[in-house]
Amino acid sequence: DAKFDTYGMNFAENGTPDGETANSITLSFYKNGKRTELSYDAAAGCYYGTQHWTSHSAPFADANTGKTVPFENVFILYARTTTDGYRMFADLVGSGSGYYACGGKIIPITWTCDGDTEPFRFYHAEGEPLELGVGKTYIAVVYKGAPITVE
């Protein structure tokens, strides 16, 4: 039996929140820069992502195998960010808001992080600890006010 540290997070076989339908999520990381689309595959029970830059697009894939990577959990975290025009730098110590998607549904959340070596804590908008689905997790950190489209 392999044991692992959950860092205080709660997991459930069905981490689907009671929220609005989220079959497609599109978000921007920079103004006039990288854009990501996440599409929900109901049969597989996960999201698949594609990154779009100004010159090309590519699916999220494992660099070792080339296989497309599925995500059961998707987090979009708003944070204070700066950019040098190519890279984005985010201040993730403190707290903020965002969204959590799982099972084709999405809800608003809040997050906290007490320091550079401390884990994130995720909460429902009402303040209760969030329960995540079991599986891979994609975390997007975007600037406050970044456009997000959910369909």
Side-chain angles (χ1 to χ4, degrees):
D1 288 333
K3 296 207 181 233
F4 61 94
D5 193 335
T6 62
Y7 296 98
M9 290 188 242
N10 301 310
F11 294 89
E13 283 299 322
N14 179 5
T16 302
D18 291 330
E20 73 176 83
T21 299
N23 291 319
S24 174
I25 305 168
T26 304
L27 53 120
S28 296
F29 287 87
Y30 314 119
K31 295 173 181 153
N32 301 321
K34 183 178 131 179
R35 180 175 49 88
T36 294
E37 292 178 4
L38 296 150
S39 299
Y40 185 67
D41 182 331
C46 59
Y47 286 89
Y48 290 95
T50 302
Q51 298 182 87
H52 301 277
W53 293 272
T54 53
S55 60
H56 67 285
S57 297
F60 291 129
D62 184 301
N64 293 320
T65 66
K67 291 183 180 180
T68 304
V69 178
F71 300 101
E72 285 75 16
N73 302 296
V74 172
F75 283 99
I76 302 166
L77 308 181
Y78 288 116
R80 291 177 302 279
T81 64
T82 57
T83 182
D84 63 5
Y86 178 73
R87 296 170 294 188
M88 183 181 76
F89 306 94
D91 180 2
L92 297 173
V93 175
S95 63
S97 62
Y99 294 95
Y100 169 68
C102 181
K105 300 288 186 177
I106 192 167
I107 60 170
I109 62 161
T110 61
W111 61 267
T112 63
C113 183
D114 293 335
D116 290 340
T117 60
E118 298 298 317
F120 281 99
R121 305 279 186 226
F122 300 106
Y123 304 93
H124 288 267
E126 298 81 26
E128 294 179 30
L130 187 64
E131 195 168 70
L132 284 65
V134 175
K136 293 180 179 72
T137 299
Y138 173 76
I139 300 176
V141 178
V142 297
Y143 65 94
K144 291 182 180 180
I148 295 173
T149 304
V150 177
E151 297 178 0

